[in-house]
Amino acid sequence: MPASPLATFDSSAETLDAWAAHDGVPLLATVARALCVLDHTTGLDAFCLPYPPVVQLALDRAVVAWLRGGLRPPASLAELVQRCADIPLEDWPLSLPSDAVGPDDVLLDPYSHRPTQLCHEWSEWEHSAPDPAVRHRDQQVMRTALDRCRSHGEEDAYTEFRSLLVRRPVLTAQELFALHGDFTLEPVWELIDLIYPEVPLSWSRDGCYAVCGRCGTLLTPLAGREWWCERDRCRRQGDPPVGRLIEAAHAGTLYQLERPLRRHVTGPGLAEVELEDRLTGLGLDVTMWPGFDTYDLLVVFPDGHRWAVDVKDWAHPAFLGRAARPVRPEPPYDEAFWVVPVYRVRERPGYQQAFQRARPPAAAAVRLLTDDELIRAARQRLAESRRGTRAESQEGTDA
């Protein structure tokens, strides 16, 4: 019999009311799904009746929740959207388990009114996203890429394809054309054309597009001549730096990786390649996405000891805990780790403990470290390995 979803946060009996349809976790999930549907279909600044069913349901249930709390309910969908940007979830009139929300959690970015990563994670609670085709789009694309590269026997093709999606989510027409001269990518040439749609002129300002200097994604122009980056990490570091300006008149058509892949592949991939750079900087041998992406990094120490590392850049620790599973055994390794960027833990006290509480029994052995903790462990093991090598060398000399 499947485990109750109550185990996600707190299995105690007093939390049962928090899971009522008009309150608690299900209501947050419904509102998050509605926001993602609006963002995908019409944008959050265009509300036309009749609303999509999940949007009307979210509005109706939110009104009930505010009335039950003795507060003035949102008078319209526009007002509900505004509250999703202005009011932290911990201040909503809801009965929530202790691990459900953290300090300053909001569903919409206050500046752009676009769904936060946390909103997307809530929208997929219980694997019931409003549009399965959209939710699974990234998985379909990556499976197709795997199948095509495997059929050609080209693991390097898949590695280069995934690296492209992480490092170059924005391409000019000339850059896209040049990829068709890279024969390593030949198995996925057609796929690349499909997943890099044209960028509307509305993304530009004064005839120029701006690319984020931190993550390489396209910046969105805001009022007041500011730019907005869709990556959580960039926004928390302050105003996004403009890495390059692309003049629309000179570049011709501009292409950007489609949104599901930017969220599920580019975002986590940035944390993966940053960790690769730090580990190789220690002198370690690192292979990215080995065995056709069995896991994210294979780290080999000088003495042959092997680590398998899966990087998970998730905002909500309990959702990450629910997804926990042992790292697959091929290519073989001696130790395995799940790793989360340290900024996630700093932003949400108790992150690793909440992850542990939410893990299913089958994943009880999955170890979650921050990237900083993994680097410290790698330095320590590298030092021990070198001491052991020197000791063996000394013994050989003495003999």
Side-chain angles (χ1 to χ4, degrees):
M1 183 174 179
S4 166
L6 290 174
T8 303
F9 297 110
D10 187 343
S11 58
S12 57
E14 59 267 22
T15 65
L16 289 175
D17 288 344
W19 299 80
H22 300 91
D23 198 3
V25 170
L27 175 57
L28 284 188
T30 302
V31 173
R33 286 196 291 272
L35 296 174
C36 290
V37 165
L38 285 172
D39 186 53
H40 179 71
T41 56
T42 64
L44 289 171
D45 57 351
F47 308 116
C48 300
L49 290 169
Y51 301 140
V54 70
V55 175
Q56 186 65 60
L57 181 64
L59 178 59
D60 293 344
R61 289 184 173 178
V63 167
V64 171
W66 258 268
L67 288 173
R68 288 179 62 190
L71 301 172
R72 184 181 67 83
S76 64
L77 178 59
E79 186 174 345
L80 175 61
V81 167
Q82 190 65 47
R83 292 186 185 190
C84 290
D86 293 344
I87 303 176
L89 296 178
E90 63 182 359
D91 294 333
W92 283 32
L94 306 178
S95 300
L96 291 168
S98 59
D99 288 344
V101 298
D104 303 320
D105 279 355
V106 291
L107 295 179
L108 295 180
D109 179 78
Y111 298 101
S112 68
H113 280 207
R114 295 282 301 278
T116 60
Q117 180 171 333
L118 184 71
C119 181
H120 284 288
E121 291 176 12
W122 271 106
S123 76
E124 295 169 8
W125 179 74
E126 287 259 296
H127 307 288
S128 52
D131 185 346
V134 172
R135 180 181 181 274
H136 295 295
R137 171 67 174 178
D138 62 295
Q139 299 173 22
Q140 294 167 351
V141 169
M142 300 312 291
R143 276 198 299 266
T144 300
L146 278 170
D147 291 343
R148 293 186 181 185
C149 294
R150 279 197 179 113
S151 67
H152 285 76
E154 297 285 351
E155 185 172 348
D156 288 346
Y158 178 80
T159 301
E160 186 167 335
F161 172 75
R162 191 175 182 103
S163 180
L164 171 71
L165 272 53
V166 172
R167 299 178 186 273
R168 302 175 66 189
V170 178
L171 297 171
T172 64
Q174 183 177 3
E175 290 167 344
L176 182 60
F177 178 78
L179 292 177
H180 288 270
D182 184 345
F183 285 93
T184 302
L185 289 170
E186 184 177 6
V188 289
W189 278 345
E190 181 183 355
L191 189 58
I192 290 172
D193 290 337
L194 292 173
I195 62 176
Y196 277 84
E198 296 183 11
V199 177
L201 194 61
S202 59
W203 285 71
S204 68
R205 175 185 288 141
D206 299 332
C208 289
Y209 300 97
V211 176
C212 180
R214 294 193 189 107
C215 66
T217 56
L218 203 59
L219 297 175
T220 303
L222 299 178
R225 306 196 65 78
E226 296 178 342
W227 296 97
W228 179 81
C229 182
E230 65 188 17
R231 301 251 66 81
D232 283 3
R233 186 172 185 177
C234 285
R235 295 197 302 276
R236 282 158 175 76
Q237 291 178 280
D239 294 337
V242 176
R244 61 170 174 160
L245 283 172
I246 302 173
E247 294 187 29
H250 294 162
T253 305
L254 192 69
Y255 300 89
Q256 178 171 220
L257 187 66
E258 60 186 40
R259 188 180 301 171
L261 290 163
R262 296 200 309 272
R263 189 167 83 83
H264 291 287
V265 180
T266 306
L270 290 167
E272 294 161 10
V273 298
E274 286 176 9
L275 189 57
E276 175 196 18
D277 291 342
R278 296 176 70 182
L279 289 166
T280 55
L282 297 178
L284 295 170
D285 181 16
V286 180
T287 301
M288 296 298 292
W289 310 297
F292 289 98
D293 202 17
T294 301
Y295 43 84
D296 294 327
L297 297 90
L298 172 61
V299 184
V300 182
F301 288 83
D303 62 359
H305 193 82
R306 297 157 69 93
W307 282 2
V309 179
D310 259 337
V311 182
K312 307 294 182 182
D313 190 4
W314 288 42
H316 204 300
F319 293 151
L320 180 59
R322 291 180 67 185
R325 63 187 184 279
V327 177
R328 288 177 290 173
E330 292 294 334
Y333 54 82
D334 299 293
E335 294 181 84
F337 308 91
W338 275 27
V339 171
V340 64
V342 69
Y343 81 95
R344 294 290 188 192
V345 175
R346 288 172 179 165
E347 289 178 353
R348 196 179 189 108
Y351 188 105
Q352 287 159 297
Q353 293 77 12
F355 167 85
Q356 292 168 1
R357 287 193 294 271
R359 282 179 309 188
V366 174
R367 299 170 61 189
L368 180 69
L369 304 180
T370 68
D371 48 4
D372 284 358
E373 289 172 339
L374 186 81
I375 292 298
R376 286 196 294 270
R379 285 199 183 101
Q380 181 178 349
R381 201 196 180 286
L382 192 56
E384 293 171 352
S385 173
R386 287 169 176 165
R387 284 197 297 269
T389 300
R390 286 197 297 270
E392 290 175 3
S393 176
Q394 184 62 44
E395 289 176 3
T397 301
D398 293 344

